[in-house]
Amino acid sequence: MNPENTGPGFNTSLSFYSTYYTSRSSLSDLIALGVYFSVRSCGGPAVPIRGGRIDATVAGPEGFVPQPQDGLGTFTNRFLRIGFNAAQMIQVVACGHTIGGVHSPEFSDIVPPGTPKGELAFDSTVAVFDNKVVTEYLNNNSTNPLVVGNAVRLRKNSDAVVFGADQNLTMKALTNPAAFQATCQSVLQQMIEIVPSNVVFSDPIQPYFVKPVGIQLTLDDYASTMTLSGGIRVRTTYLPPSSITGMTLTYKDRYGGTNCGPNGCSKTVTGSGVTKGFDDTFFWFPVKTTVPTATGISSFTVTLNLDNGTTLSFNNNGNSYPITDGIMLQSPQSCLLPTSGQLTVTAAVRNDIGSMPVTLQVTNQVPTIYPVASLVSNSMTMVKGDCVGLYTFYTASYNITGGMADTAKIDVTSGSGSTAVADTFNNGFELGAKCMPFSKPTPSACAVPGSSAPPANPSSSSMTNSPSTGSNVPSSGTSSLTTLTSSSSATSSSTRAPSTSTSRPTSKGSSAQSTSTAVTITTTSSTSSTSSTAGTSTVSTPAAAGPTQRNQVGTYALVGCYKEATDGRRALSSQSMAVDTMTAEICAAFCSQYHYFGTEYGRECYCGNVLDSTSKPTVMTDCSMHCAGDASTYCGAGSRLNVYFSNATTGPTQPPTIGKYNWYGCQTEGTISRALNDVHTADNDMTLASCAGFCDGYTYFGTEYSRECYCGNSFTEGSVVADTFDCSMICMGDAKELCGGPDRLSVYTTKGSSKLVSIHQ
């Protein structure tokens, strides 16, 4: 039997992921993120990624991974153990084998030595995420080495065994390219979300509309000012950079007031640089300005000025973006020699909190015998040094062993528990090799906030930490903005936040186009929004007439007002965003590849091909909040969505209505008899409409396993609501519709009604 981890693929992948392994990014989350990148980079769907996985501490049992020579029973049982039914087993194997192939060094009996490149591909488009692995198998022209060739003689043709497990019903349903992409998006997400019960997932990760990145405070020479540096990243996927005429950054003083010192808070800086990911673009605004130490800083807000005369104000849930001037890592006075691992850290601690203990914590990787390094963390008390104006310097030295000093993350903390202030997650590799001297004010300038401030440029003396050689690189770690770089969203009015977060900032090495714009920093107060989503903003627009329910948005028709899903799920979970210019048109454009879109809480947008089984219609008056960018139209409310549907898009769906029947949800079979056991039929041309016609007069109809139809007036014992994605098999008579799954029914009912309008077919 071949070892389960044979070949270089595991080692090279894990070695790559190890680079990004920190106390804030688990290796298991990074592996999941690797699924997104590999699939998307080959032209596949954007697999939703949720954070929160906890790394295993011991190896799993051997023999768990199926081998090519195993029989169908073994395959089926292994997949059932992880929650995949027979259809999903076929789907995930097909989706996994649309790229790549089998390599000769590890499977020389299947791929003979001397084979070009030492590999036989699963299909004719080895690096393209398409359904050729399906169509070539069904057309009997496959070159898949696990379908044809030596594997057949050796009884190692595992793909052929799996694909044919249900007489090719599932494979035939995947011949539609859009259906293949949608199915793969669903089953690959299901695959990477097989986790222990104690794992609590975030919502799917999406970039914030506006995100402060690398914001850092540094006490300047003579201690009369501090430098605020870093950047503001603006997501411009749906807001062209050319439409942004300026940016206003409004900050509060140390005590939350508007005393910004004699020069006020108005500065002009230059913003520049556009970066791009698979699906998003970002415009970057570097920030570098001075803040008087006498008044300090506690938070800031961001306002974008648009060319249409409106503004977008972002205030982080009405709390502003917090930053503490209580403690600062002094990157110029700190240094790291990567070769020896010798680290010296200096922190500036405000004198009014200096009586508390000050500690340094260093977390870094250390090599192991495995591809992934382990993390170690060490803490030590920092030594009090000179008083410099309103601050006192504390220092500590530490030797990072293991030869991986450049992976260090540095935290400095004053105090403990709820009263602690900290500057955390600073990058060791951004420190210079030499600790630079600090020009001190006169000793008489030593003070606490509220007393006389240090003079602007007093006669100075110099202090220097551990000597080394090399140049200094100022730090731009995430500093005290820990809460702004979290991989999970803040809580919204609808119990769960929209998908507006990202797990890590874009690399500083990202290529940037040479574009720029002026950014104005002023003291103008911004308006707080009542929404509680991270990155929440307000929109300043002219007064408009009262909102109405829009019955039509392009090809999309209003289905009704729906409640959010329960059990931590979303009514529409394929893709989402939150934007402070939200309109029904913006959401429709964002969701143009999906059959459904829904607007919620004025500014949130959700997409999907199926409504979650636990999302139910409610009265239209429940959707009572106007769109943030269009006061004339309703955009849901707290835990309520204005749901729209279009059949003009590709890919299979569960339509909201079939004749007089409304979508009810995905339902399990009964434990003793069929869930709907009055009458039934089966047809290789099955559609939802034909089943509805067959069941005319009954309260419920349900389609199952692509071709079966069941009718009844009630459910039998043991039939319960199932995960919507369990009903993922395409109707044999209509590739744009879903007809249940194995032991799962796509159920429609005449009970209840939402405000249903004509659905464009």
Side-chain angles (χ1 to χ4, degrees):
M1 177 180 290
N2 292 296
E4 293 178 349
N5 296 333
T6 189
F10 286 96
N11 285 345
T12 54
S13 296
L14 291 174
S15 296
F16 174 79
Y17 297 143
S18 182
T19 305
Y20 304 94
Y21 176 40
T22 71
S23 59
R24 296 186 183 181
S25 52
S26 69
L27 188 64
S28 46
D29 273 347
L30 292 171
I31 292 172
L33 194 60
V35 173
Y36 166 84
F37 276 100
S38 60
V39 171
R40 197 75 187 92
S41 63
C42 291
V47 179
I49 301 297
R50 303 198 291 170
R53 294 167 186 81
I54 300 172
D55 290 337
T57 56
V58 295
E62 293 186 5
F64 186 78
V65 178
Q67 297 296 305
Q69 62 270 24
D70 291 339
L72 179 59
T74 300
F75 290 141
T76 303
N77 289 333
R78 295 279 169 81
F79 278 93
L80 279 174
R81 287 179 60 186
I82 57 173
F84 282 79
N85 58 38
Q88 292 166 331
M89 171 185 71
I90 297 167
Q91 292 164 348
V92 77
V93 171
C95 295
H97 286 181
T98 182
I99 51 179
V102 180
H103 296 263
S104 178
E106 290 75 47
F107 298 93
S108 58
D109 55 345
I110 297 176
V111 182
T115 299
K117 297 183 180 180
E119 176 188 9
L120 289 177
F122 290 124
D123 63 21
S124 60
T125 53
V126 63
V128 179
F129 198 98
D130 58 21
N131 68 340
K132 289 291 182 65
V133 69
V134 174
T135 57
E136 290 171 2
Y137 162 80
L138 292 174
N139 293 335
N140 293 318
N141 62 349
S142 175
T143 58
N144 183 341
L146 298 181
V147 171
V148 298
N150 290 346
V152 178
R153 174 178 55 82
L154 297 169
R155 295 186 178 181
K156 292 186 175 183
N157 54 333
S158 54
D159 277 10
V161 171
V162 170
F163 293 163
D166 62 355
Q167 291 73 54
N168 293 333
L169 281 175
T170 299
M171 292 293 280
K172 288 177 181 177
L174 296 175
T175 55
N176 179 292
F180 180 81
Q181 295 279 331
T183 299
C184 290
Q185 183 185 54
S186 173
V187 296
L188 291 176
Q189 181 182 3
Q190 181 180 349
M191 177 187 73
I192 60 177
E193 291 185 358
I194 299 171
V195 295
S197 59
N198 63 323
V199 170
V200 178
F201 277 122
S202 70
D203 275 344
I205 295 171
Q206 292 285 340
Y208 284 123
F209 191 102
V210 164
K211 179 182 178 181
V213 177
I215 298 295
Q216 179 72 36
L217 283 172
T218 305
L219 189 65
D220 298 330
D221 281 346
Y222 306 112
S224 62
T225 61
M226 59 188 88
T227 294
L228 176 68
S229 61
I232 306 293
R233 190 192 72 186
V234 180
R235 188 187 190 197
T236 52
T237 310
Y238 308 101
L239 182 69
S242 59
S243 69
I244 304 174
T245 60
M247 177 185 286
T248 301
L249 190 151
T250 306
Y251 67 90
K252 299 291 182 68
D253 65 28
R254 179 175 295 122
Y255 304 107
T258 57
N259 176 19
C260 298
N263 297 323
C265 302
S266 182
K267 304 287 182 180
T268 299
V269 297
T270 301
S272 64
V274 175
T275 56
K276 184 177 181 180
F278 290 119
D279 304 293
D280 291 290
T281 59
F282 303 95
F283 196 19
W284 291 82
F285 296 91
V287 173
K288 187 172 185 180
T289 188
T290 57
V291 176
T293 55
T295 55
I297 183 172
S298 59
S299 66
F300 62 90
T301 60
V302 175
T303 301
L304 298 179
N305 306 310
L306 306 182
D307 57 3
N308 62 3
T310 64
T311 61
L312 297 176
S313 299
F314 299 84
N315 57 28
N316 193 35
N317 291 341
N319 298 316
S320 301
Y321 298 100
I323 183 168
T324 178
D325 66 1
I327 185 169
M328 296 171 272
L329 172 71
Q330 285 294 108
S331 56
Q333 284 72 52
S334 302
C335 50
L336 172 64
L337 282 175
T339 52
S340 66
Q342 184 60 43
L343 170 70
T344 298
V345 174
T346 296
V349 181
R350 212 171 61 220
N351 290 337
D352 58 326
I353 60 174
S355 59
M356 297 185 287
V358 180
T359 58
L360 165 68
Q361 179 169 300
V362 181
T363 303
N364 59 278
Q365 295 185 9
V366 294
T368 67
I369 61 173
Y370 305 106
V372 179
S374 62
L375 291 178
V376 296
S377 183
N378 288 280
S379 298
M380 61 218 71
T381 300
M382 302 186 76
V383 178
K384 186 175 183 179
D386 292 327
C387 177
V388 286
L390 298 181
Y391 289 83
T392 295
F393 280 165
Y394 288 76
T395 61
S397 295
Y398 175 67
N399 186 249
I400 303 173
T401 59
M404 302 182 72
D406 58 340
T407 67
K409 301 293 182 182
I410 302 168
D411 302 345
V412 288
T413 305
S414 179
S416 60
S418 60
T419 60
V421 291
D423 185 354
T424 62
F425 214 62
N426 295 281
N427 293 316
F429 67 82
E430 293 182 340
L431 298 180
K434 181 180 180 180
C435 293
M436 304 299 289
F438 183 87
S439 297
K440 297 186 298 179
T442 60
S444 61
C446 186
V448 295
S451 63
S452 59
N457 275 297
S459 58
S460 64
S461 59
S462 180
M463 56 178 286
T464 306
N465 283 319
S466 305
S468 298
T469 58
S471 60
N472 181 67
V473 181
S475 169
S476 58
T478 52
S479 183
S480 23
L481 290 182
T482 302
T483 58
L484 304 183
T485 58
S486 169
S487 62
S488 59
S489 303
T491 304
S492 75
S493 72
S494 53
T495 304
R496 297 166 307 284
S499 305
T500 54
S501 64
T502 184
S503 59
R504 55 187 295 117
T506 302
S507 169
K508 294 181 182 177
S510 300
S511 60
Q513 300 175 15
S514 56
T515 58
S516 65
T517 187
V519 181
T520 302
I521 302 176
T522 73
T523 57
T524 305
S525 297
S526 62
T527 304
S528 293
S529 166
T530 57
S531 169
S532 56
T533 302
T536 291
S537 67
T538 59
V539 182
S540 173
T541 56
T548 60
Q549 299 291 355
R550 289 278 298 280
N551 285 340
Q552 196 76 31
V553 181
T555 62
Y556 289 89
L558 178 65
V559 178
C561 183
Y562 275 70
K563 299 177 183 179
E564 258 298 0
T566 61
D567 301 327
R569 305 205 296 256
R570 283 285 181 188
L572 297 169
S573 59
S574 294
Q575 182 169 289
S576 63
M577 73 165 179
V579 62
D580 298 285
T581 53
M582 182 60 67
T583 65
E585 287 79 8
I586 287 177
C587 191
F590 178 70
C591 298
S592 61
Q593 301 302 309
Y594 297 90
H595 287 279
Y596 287 93
F597 80 81
T599 53
E600 182 173 346
Y601 206 66
R603 65 183 297 275
E604 303 169 11
C605 173
Y606 299 89
C607 322
N609 285 323
V610 182
L611 272 167
D612 189 88
S613 299
T614 63
S615 176
K616 301 299 182 184
T618 184
V619 294
M620 284 305 305
T621 52
D622 277 6
C623 289
S624 57
M625 291 183 67
H626 69 74
C627 303
D630 180 5
S632 69
T633 304
Y634 284 114
C635 279
S639 295
R640 298 293 187 271
L641 298 93
N642 276 88
V643 174
Y644 292 80
F645 177 82
S646 170
N647 210 27
T649 56
T650 58
T653 184
Q654 213 77 74
T657 60
I658 300 295
K660 63 183 178 182
Y661 288 90
N662 300 326
W663 168 242
Y664 179 83
C666 186
Q667 195 81 6
T668 69
E669 277 290 7
T671 53
I672 300 175
S673 61
R674 291 287 184 182
L676 299 172
N677 65 353
D678 286 4
V679 293
H680 70 274
T681 186
D683 188 347
N684 287 337
D685 293 318
M686 181 61 65
T687 66
L688 295 174
S690 64
C691 186
F694 177 77
C695 295
D696 187 35
Y698 289 92
T699 304
Y700 300 95
F701 82 79
T703 53
E704 182 174 336
Y705 210 64
S706 294
R707 62 186 300 275
E708 302 169 10
C709 172
Y710 298 88
C711 320
N713 291 317
S714 62
F715 295 104
T716 61
E717 182 180 348
S719 178
V720 296
V721 174
D723 191 302
T724 303
F725 294 107
D726 284 357
C727 292
S728 58
M729 294 187 70
I730 295 171
C731 302
M732 293 196 71
D734 189 343
K736 292 190 72 172
E737 296 179 342
L738 295 171
C739 281
D743 293 323
R744 297 293 187 272
L745 297 97
S746 294
V747 177
Y748 286 77
T749 181
T750 57
K751 284 187 174 182
S753 65
S754 56
K755 181 186 180 299
L756 299 173
V757 296
S758 174
I759 302 297
H760 285 244
Q761 302 291 335

